[in-house]
Amino acid sequence: MRKIIFMAVLAIAAMTFNICSANDYDNNPDYTYVITANQGTYYLNIKTLDVVKYRPPQYQIAGSFIHVSPQSDGTEKVTSRYVLLMFDFDSKEVFNKDTYGNWEKSNTEGETTNAKVNRKFADALFRAAYGQDFFGY
């Protein structure tokens, strides 16, 4: 009877571990979790962090983010996105470059998915560079 109970507990623990197990990026110190959105999870690759400009209250920070999304066949699709942001600490505004290379204000206000992702990207880059969130929320 003890063996049956032990095997049942072991089976339940194994199933729980498989359900809750993290992917390779959660356990990798080179990546930091950013946000779950757009049918997947975004991570910042810490090794790609680049402080382009340090001139308080303005900063320019760049890095590569990956998006990991599960596929219907059980695999994961991983895409990479290089992001360069300019921060104005006094006004708490963030800017990114448009397709022509001009700085434009990033959409970081409101509760849309795009605004939330942009805020999280900005906070992740600033935190990785300076140890604190840019927006602080």
Side-chain angles (χ1 to χ4, degrees):
M1 183 67 168
R2 286 178 133 174
K3 281 185 178 183
I4 293 173
I5 293 173
F6 175 75
M7 293 303 286
V9 169
L10 187 61
I12 291 170
M15 285 187 290
T16 303
F17 178 77
N18 285 337
I19 292 170
C20 298
S21 64
N23 65 38
D24 292 337
Y25 300 101
D26 287 327
N27 296 323
N28 189 330
D30 295 335
Y31 292 89
T32 185
Y33 169 82
V34 178
I35 188 172
T36 299
N38 301 323
Q39 301 174 340
T41 305
Y42 287 100
Y43 298 89
L44 170 62
N45 182 341
I46 299 296
K47 287 189 170 193
T48 65
L49 185 71
D50 183 19
V51 175
V52 177
K53 176 181 174 183
Y54 175 80
R55 195 173 301 143
Q58 291 190 344
Y59 307 83
Q60 286 181 27
I61 309 169
S64 290
F65 291 83
I66 61 165
H67 184 251
V68 181
S69 56
Q71 302 297 295
S72 59
D73 63 359
T75 62
E76 291 179 333
K77 180 181 178 184
V78 180
T79 55
S80 182
R81 178 174 159 193
Y82 179 79
V83 176
L84 170 63
L85 297 177
M86 180 172 62
F87 300 81
D88 186 324
F89 202 82
D90 288 344
S91 67
K92 289 294 186 185
E93 292 179 324
V94 177
F95 302 86
N96 61 288
K97 289 198 174 186
D98 65 14
T99 55
Y100 302 104
N102 302 311
W103 290 107
E104 65 181 0
K105 186 176 174 187
S106 294
N107 174 15
T108 58
E109 298 174 10
E111 293 303 313
T112 65
T113 300
N114 189 36
K116 288 179 187 178
V117 169
N118 289 343
R119 278 195 308 270
K120 291 292 189 171
F121 276 26
D123 275 342
L125 285 171
F126 206 82
R127 184 182 328 104
Y130 302 112
Q132 68 181 32
D133 289 345
F134 182 73
F135 291 106
Y137 55 79

